[in-house]
Amino acid sequence: MVDEDVRTPNGSEWRHHREHRDETRARILDAALQLIASHGFAATSTREISERLGFTKAALYYHFRTKAELLAALLQPAMEELVTLVGGATACTPAERRRVVERYVDLVATHASLIQVLSDDPSVRRSSVLGSVMPSFHRLVQILAGTDLPDVAERARVRAALGAVHATLVRAEAGDDPAILRSVAIGAALTLLGLKPGGRGRPPPD
């Protein structure tokens, strides 16, 4: 006979539990990103994160047992978007390269705070978590260069184009018009890659 005090949560209760868990994880990640952006990844402790949220360390460990797990969760959305972006590029035509530039600009705009942390914090750049995204980044370079075997000059142009995108969006000032920033970032990247707006290409400068 089943004890009447023991019952299995119904679907509504499980849904509520998942929603509460997801909301709590989102709050933890938001607080962690703010602290890491201010103090650096190495200098940010789980104690600081839990205190910022009014949690006990045990409550934080329920969601993220280590800082590495927390960093992986912070990076996951942007990494998945990059994997999807390069995986959907079927050719290196000027039109496809332009499409990839536009989508990459949107990715950077969405994750500007996170990318700033990646750019400024050596301890994050050295993290093994980033290792899994390197093949996708290398594929991004190939697509933007327009060849599977880019030479030194072609790789340099891609780095310059990506640098222009990051500088425009990640270093933007509060109150800057997002539409203007997007247009400038896309235009700068296309120019550095030797592409004209509308997908028409021109040979890169010597």
Side-chain angles (χ1 to χ4, degrees):
M1 182 176 178
V2 178
D3 190 330
E4 293 182 357
D5 291 330
V6 178
R7 59 190 179 89
T8 302
N10 59 36
S12 177
E13 290 171 330
W14 277 121
R15 224 173 11 253
H16 177 74
H17 173 74
R18 285 196 304 270
E19 289 171 356
H20 178 70
R21 180 197 61 196
D22 292 345
E23 180 183 342
T24 301
R25 282 175 61 89
R27 288 178 57 208
I28 292 171
L29 292 174
D30 183 60
L33 183 57
Q34 291 180 35
L35 287 168
I36 292 169
S38 298
H39 309 309
F41 179 69
T44 298
S45 67
T46 53
R47 177 184 57 78
E48 288 178 290
I49 297 170
S50 59
E51 288 179 352
R52 168 71 67 92
L53 293 163
F55 290 175
T56 63
K57 289 183 69 173
L60 181 64
Y61 289 155
Y62 173 79
H63 297 277
F64 301 103
R65 295 191 63 81
T66 65
K67 281 174 61 178
E69 284 186 13
L70 200 154
L71 179 62
L74 279 172
L75 296 174
Q76 183 178 0
M79 292 168 65
E80 288 179 349
E81 288 178 32
L82 179 60
V83 170
T84 300
L85 173 58
V86 300
T90 57
C92 292
T93 63
E96 184 69 356
R97 292 164 69 198
R98 186 183 191 282
R99 185 188 72 84
V100 170
V101 166
E102 292 176 349
R103 288 195 57 192
Y104 185 76
V105 165
D106 291 337
L107 186 158
V108 173
T110 300
H111 302 285
S113 297
L114 176 63
I115 291 173
Q116 182 173 355
V117 169
L118 293 177
S119 301
D120 294 347
D121 194 328
S123 63
V124 174
R125 294 200 303 272
R126 290 194 298 266
S127 170
S128 60
V129 174
L130 288 178
S132 62
V133 81
M134 291 313 296
S136 294
F137 185 78
H138 291 319
R139 181 55 185 156
L140 176 67
V141 171
Q142 292 174 328
I143 294 166
L144 295 183
T147 174
D148 289 342
L149 295 171
D151 60 23
V152 174
E154 289 164 334
R155 293 196 302 271
R157 290 188 189 102
V158 172
R159 289 197 301 271
L162 297 179
V165 171
H166 293 175
T168 303
L169 300 174
V170 175
R171 306 300 176 185
E173 298 181 5
D176 284 350
D177 187 328
I180 294 176
L181 294 176
R182 183 179 189 273
S183 178
V184 169
I186 291 172
L190 293 178
T191 298
L192 288 163
L193 293 170
L195 294 167
K196 292 182 179 180
R200 294 171 296 168
R202 62 175 171 80
D206 292 331

